[in-house]
């Protein structure tokens, strides 16, 4: 099996055991893409955590039908909680975040990383009073969870990125986290147009809060002079690219992956993007005839058009944030939804010519639903990626009929057991256009 690496969190070669850090100086200078390079080169020596990650995602998708809002499978409390996660008495408001973790016997490993000269900027950040910040600090136990492996330690640039990914600007108490979906981190990478990489926050039973699916907050609301600390049980590794995520989750995305491979669809260079990734069962829903056609040699060009309709580049839509062009209306919409607004709409142009997907983001109390083209729901939200976000859909998105745009009923557009003729009719114009484009280029 290829690339059986762990995703998002808790990964093998996070191997930032403090005693290894000195070795890092010998590493070659890292490119901008230090995170992706790490993902590309690291092979996991343990598939356990990776398997558990995929199980969490599939369980969440499976249980999604039971509810109309996109929350994780263990997120079934009937009301967004108002309390929980202790009071505000933990910590010591005369000390900085750095001082607190330095003196805490459960966070010695993270603290000693900060004491390494290479990471003195991070230490200063956590020691400075100029801004409040939130630190997700991995406990010493979290470092023990890094499986043993024989790979080289990561370059120090990677460790630096990793440390920044544990910090979020602003003061976010557990109470704030419970109603958050994503938070910006202090890490920014070129791949996302230098916007902050985000952390995915989810709340489960008994107010269990997880960051990036795996890392559980085991101790929250440790207040400091310059912010707040939450202790987590797994290290947060900056995520890989969208493409890598798809390839790492074969039980969920192998059909989509196969399609990308067979059609040789190449995604243009991008700074962020939104991938509406259909699950394997989304493809099954199309029915055996449609699948046989799409994956046959004469169907591939239709498949290619279809897949293109799932990629948005340069605009990154999280359930509670939008990194895109600074068109006023979009900015305004984003602010409305971030500041407690209930609804916003955006049309996102896909790689399929000028064809856009109409996105409706609706907020209800602490929950958010994302609905595409009027009826297709995102069944797993905010799969953060280094170059954007993966929003998982349980139905394959098919471009609506031109002439019926805006009037199509759900059943018509739904795509379940779709006839090959219908599929062809809906995609024909894009397939032809592509060929025209090719000819024009030849002249
Ligand atoms: C940090 O947050 C506390 C509590 O909300 C506030 O009193 C303080 O002024 C903030 N400090 C800065 C530098 O913003
Ligand atoms: C990280 O923190 C530093 C210091 O506060 C700040 O200058 C920088 O803009 C932050 N970066 C991001 C991406 O938040």
């Amino acid at each position: 099996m290829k690339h059986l690496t762990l995703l998002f969190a808790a990964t093998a070669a996070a191997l930032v055991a403090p005693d290894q850090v000195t070795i890092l100086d010998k590493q070659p200078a890292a490119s901008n893409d230090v995170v992706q390079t790490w993902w590309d080169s690291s092979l996991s020596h343990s598939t356990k955590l990776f398997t558990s990650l995929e199980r969490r995602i599939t369980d969440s998708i499976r249980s999604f039908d039971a509810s109309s809002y996109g929350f994780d499978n263990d997120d079934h409390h009937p009301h967004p909680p108002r309390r929980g996660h202790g009071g505000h008495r933990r910590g010591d408001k005369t000390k900085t975040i750095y001082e607190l973790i330095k003196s805490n016997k459960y966070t010695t490993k993270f603290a000693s990383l900060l004491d390494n000269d290479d990471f003195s900027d991070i230490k200063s950040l956590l020691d400075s009073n100029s801004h409040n910040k939130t630190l997700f600090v991995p406990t010493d136990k979290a470092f023990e969870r890094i499986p043993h492996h024989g790979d080289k330690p990561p370059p120090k640039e990677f460790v630096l990125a990793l440390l920044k990914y544990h910090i979020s600007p602003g003061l976010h108490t557990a109470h704030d986290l419970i109603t958050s979906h994503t938070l910006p981190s202090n890490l920014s990478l070129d791949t996302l147009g230098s916007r902050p990489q985000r952390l995915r926050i989810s709340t489960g039973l008994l107010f269990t809060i997880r960051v990036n699916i795996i890392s559980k907050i085991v101790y929250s609301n440790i207040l400091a002079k310059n912010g707040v600390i939450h202790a987590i049980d797994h290290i947060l590794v900056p995520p890989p690219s969208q493409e890598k995520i798809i390839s790492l989750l074969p039980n969920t995305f192998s059909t989509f992956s196969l399609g990308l491979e067979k059609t040789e669809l190449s995604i243009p260079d991008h700074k962020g993007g939104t991938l509406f990734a259909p699950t394997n069962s989304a493809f099954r829903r199309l029915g055996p005839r449609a699948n046989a056609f799409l994956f046959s040699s004469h169907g591939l060009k239709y498949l290619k058009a279809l897949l293109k309709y799932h990629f948005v580049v340069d605009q990154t839509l999280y359930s509670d944030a939008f990194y895109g062009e600074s068109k006023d209306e979009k900015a305004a919409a984003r602010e409305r939804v971030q500041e407690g607004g209930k609804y916003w709409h955006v049309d996102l142009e896909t790689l399929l010519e000028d064809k856009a997907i109409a996105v409706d983001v609706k907020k209800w109390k602490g929950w958010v639903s994302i609905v595409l083209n009027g009826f297709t729901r995102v069944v797993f939200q905010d799969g953060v990626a280094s170059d954007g976000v993966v929003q998982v859909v349980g139905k394959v998105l098919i471009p609506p009929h031109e002439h019926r745009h805006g009037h199509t009923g759900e059943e018509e557009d739904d795509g379940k057991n779709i006839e090959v003729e219908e599929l062809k009719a809906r995609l024909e114009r894009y397939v032809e256009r592509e060929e025209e484009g090719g000819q024009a280029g030849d002249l």
Side-chain angles (χ1 to χ4, degrees), residues 93 129-132 171 225-227:
K93 292 187 87 171
N129 290 318
S130 58
H131 300 285
N132 278 319
L171 187 135
K225 187 158 64 171
N226 60 351

Side-chain angles (χ1 to χ4, degrees), residues 125 128 130-131 133 164 169 184-188 194-197:
L125 177 62
S128 107
S130 58
H131 300 285
K133 44 240 142 199
K164 289 180 175 180
S185 76
N186 194 251
L187 173 65
S188 67
S194 300
R195 311 293 288 273
Q197 292 283 324

Side-chain angles (χ1 to χ4, degrees), residues 68-289:
S68 45
Y69 283 84
F71 44 91
D72 287 357
N73 69 309
D74 52 351
D75 294 357
H76 282 223
H77 46 80
H79 310 288
R82 296 198 171 75
R83 278 171 287 111
H85 279 275
H88 283 216
R89 256 163 275 132
R90 293 167 172 176
D92 179 345
K93 292 187 87 171
T94 67
K95 298 212 164 93
T96 65
I97 291 177
Y98 170 72
E99 287 165 346
L100 283 179
I101 56 172
K102 181 78 183 157
S103 61
N104 189 302
K105 64 180 175 177
Y106 299 106
T107 55
T108 62
K109 294 193 173 169
F110 194 84
S112 61
L113 269 177
L114 296 178
D115 286 338
N116 186 296
D117 285 348
D118 290 330
F119 311 126
S120 58
D121 285 355
I122 303 296
K123 174 174 153 182
S124 317
L125 177 62
L126 294 176
D127 207 24
S128 107
N129 290 318
S130 58
H131 300 285
N132 278 319
K133 44 240 142 199
T134 301
L135 172 69
F136 296 97
V137 64
T139 60
D140 289 352
K141 273 220 171 84
F143 283 86
E144 282 162 27
R145 289 204 173 86
I146 299 167
H148 172 79
H149 62 89
D151 292 345
K152 285 183 299 185
K156 69 184 176 201
E157 286 81 356
F158 177 79
V159 182
L160 186 62
L162 184 116
L163 292 173
K164 289 180 175 180
Y165 199 51
H166 286 80
I167 301 166
S168 178
L171 187 135
H172 307 287
T173 62
H175 177 84
D176 304 323
L177 296 181
I178 281 167
T179 52
S180 296
H181 295 258
T182 66
L183 285 183
S185 76
N186 194 251
L187 173 65
S188 67
L189 299 171
D190 275 2
T191 48
L192 201 51
S194 300
R195 311 293 288 273
Q197 292 283 324
R198 298 186 80 87
L199 296 158
R200 182 188 196 272
I201 311 291
S202 53
T203 306
L205 274 184
L206 304 174
F207 311 127
T208 309
I209 300 174
R210 288 181 198 272
V211 186
N212 285 5
I213 305 173
I214 294 284
S215 298
K216 186 165 87 180
I217 294 184
V218 288
Y219 205 83
S220 62
N221 287 343
I222 305 155
L223 285 173
K225 187 158 64 171
N226 60 351
V228 64
I229 306 170
H230 306 293
I232 50 174
D233 67 346
H234 287 88
I235 285 172
L236 293 167
V237 175
S241 66
Q242 296 170 327
E243 216 179 331
K244 190 94 183 166
I245 290 176
I246 296 305
S247 75
L248 287 173
L249 300 170
N251 293 330
T252 316
F253 298 118
S254 60
T255 312
F256 188 53
S257 270
L258 181 67
L260 295 175
E261 199 180 306
K262 289 197 107 177
T263 58
E264 295 175 355
L265 179 58
S266 66
I267 313 306
D269 280 346
H270 53 282
K271 305 278 185 206
T274 309
L275 168 56
F276 295 106
T279 58
N280 290 342
S281 70
F283 277 96
R284 274 198 299 277
R285 252 181 121 261
L286 294 175
R289 281 192 305 274

Side-chain angles (χ1 to χ4, degrees), residues 210-442:
R210 288 181 198 272
V211 186
N212 285 5
I213 305 173
I214 294 284
S215 298
K216 186 165 87 180
I217 294 184
V218 288
Y219 205 83
S220 62
N221 287 343
I222 305 155
L223 285 173
K225 187 158 64 171
N226 60 351
V228 64
I229 306 170
H230 306 293
I232 50 174
D233 67 346
H234 287 88
I235 285 172
L236 293 167
V237 175
S241 66
Q242 296 170 327
E243 216 179 331
K244 190 94 183 166
I245 290 176
I246 296 305
S247 75
L248 287 173
L249 300 170
N251 293 330
T252 316
F253 298 118
S254 60
T255 312
F256 188 53
S257 270
L258 181 67
L260 295 175
E261 199 180 306
K262 289 197 107 177
T263 58
E264 295 175 355
L265 179 58
S266 66
I267 313 306
D269 280 346
H270 53 282
K271 305 278 185 206
T274 309
L275 168 56
F276 295 106
T279 58
N280 290 342
S281 70
F283 277 96
R284 274 198 299 277
R285 252 181 121 261
L286 294 175
R289 281 192 305 274
N291 275 287
F293 167 71
L294 287 170
F295 286 86
S296 69
S297 54
H298 50 287
L300 281 183
K301 60 186 179 192
Y302 292 88
L303 179 61
K304 190 170 187 174
L306 189 63
L307 297 182
K308 279 180 167 181
Y309 191 53
H310 292 76
F311 285 88
V312 174
V313 293
D314 298 334
Q315 301 187 86
T316 312
L317 178 111
Y318 304 92
S319 61
D320 57 357
F322 181 69
Y323 296 168
E325 303 129 42
S326 53
K327 278 187 196 153
D328 289 349
E329 51 188 290
K330 283 180 185 169
R334 180 180 72 233
E335 255 125 59
R336 274 203 301 282
V337 83
Q338 280 171 345
E339 287 162 18
K342 292 195 172 3
Y343 172 81
W344 70 292
H345 177 95
V346 63
D347 291 316
L348 296 178
E349 277 178 21
T350 66
L351 289 185
L352 188 65
E353 302 290 318
D354 51 1
K355 209 66 202 160
I357 293 176
V359 184
D360 292 296
V361 181
K362 290 176 201 155
K363 249 183 143 177
W364 180 75
K365 302 203 174 174
W367 290 310
V368 172
S369 82
I370 303 175
V371 180
L372 311 175
N373 288 345
F375 58 86
T376 300
R377 288 175 188 285
V378 170
V379 296
F380 188 86
Q381 297 176 354
D382 301 326
V384 289
S386 58
D387 61 342
V389 69
V390 179
Q391 303 287 7
V392 182
V393 286
K395 295 177 186 174
V396 173
L397 298 168
I398 308 170
H401 279 287
E402 272 304 282
H403 57 285
R404 277 188 249 152
H405 187 71
H407 303 284
T408 32
E410 171 152 352
E411 282 142 54
E412 254 179 313
D413 249 354
D414 180 61
K416 188 164 189 182
N417 291 317
I418 191 169
E419 292 299 334
V420 171
E421 287 314 311
E422 165 79 359
L423 196 54
K424 278 171 123 171
R426 303 258 290 264
L427 294 167
E428 200 77 60
R429 61 185 290 259
Y430 308 105
V431 171
E432 280 167 9
R433 268 202 196 182
E434 229 181 306
E435 282 165 1
E436 275 163 25
Q439 281 157 10
D442 292 337

